[in-house]
């Protein structure tokens, strides 16, 4: 997760992660950049109704072994850095 240092703070679970975006990056702009990088994510703002939340993206990775995650995390970091 050091790859994402300065870009996002990560909360992990068994099935996915929340990337809490840093430096005022908007989750919708990051969402588009991540999609352009060939990864799927969801902007947290799509799920916020009444209470504003910090910008974040939600990613699922169930079924991907930990030893295969590094290239995906690198692509994620590059996408976030482009926004």
């Amino acid at each position: 997760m050091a790859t994402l240092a300065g870009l996002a703070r990560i909360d992990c679970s068994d099935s996915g992660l929340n990337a809490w975006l840093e430096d005022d990056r908007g989750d919708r702009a990051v969402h588009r950049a991540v999609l352009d990088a060939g990864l799927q994510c969801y902007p947290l703002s799509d799920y916020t109704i009444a209470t504003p939340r910090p910008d974040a993206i939600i990613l699922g990775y169930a079924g991907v072994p930990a030893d295969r995650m590094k290239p995906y995390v690198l692509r994620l970091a590059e996408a976030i850095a482009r926004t």
Side-chain angles (χ1 to χ4, degrees), residues 32-47:
R32 286 187 299 275
V34 172
L35 291 177
D36 289 346
L39 301 172
Q40 178 63 40
C41 73
Y42 304 93
L44 182 62
S45 61
D46 281 357
Y47 301 96

Side-chain angles (χ1 to χ4, degrees), residues 10-83:
I10 304 300
D11 291 329
C12 294
S13 70
D14 289 338
S15 61
L17 64 81
N18 292 336
W20 300 95
L21 304 170
E22 297 182 3
D23 295 333
D24 296 324
R25 289 178 167 87
D27 62 0
R28 292 182 189 278
V30 169
H31 173 245
R32 286 187 299 275
V34 172
L35 291 177
D36 289 346
L39 301 172
Q40 178 63 40
C41 73
Y42 304 93
L44 182 62
S45 61
D46 281 357
Y47 301 96
T48 302
I49 296 172
T51 305
R53 302 276 184 224
D55 284 323
I57 54 172
I58 304 166
L59 294 104
Y61 54 80
V64 179
D67 62 334
R68 293 188 47 215
M69 289 297 296
K70 186 174 182 176
Y72 300 113
V73 173
L74 292 173
R75 282 175 33 196
L76 175 64
E78 290 168 357
I80 294 171
R82 282 195 300 272
T83 59

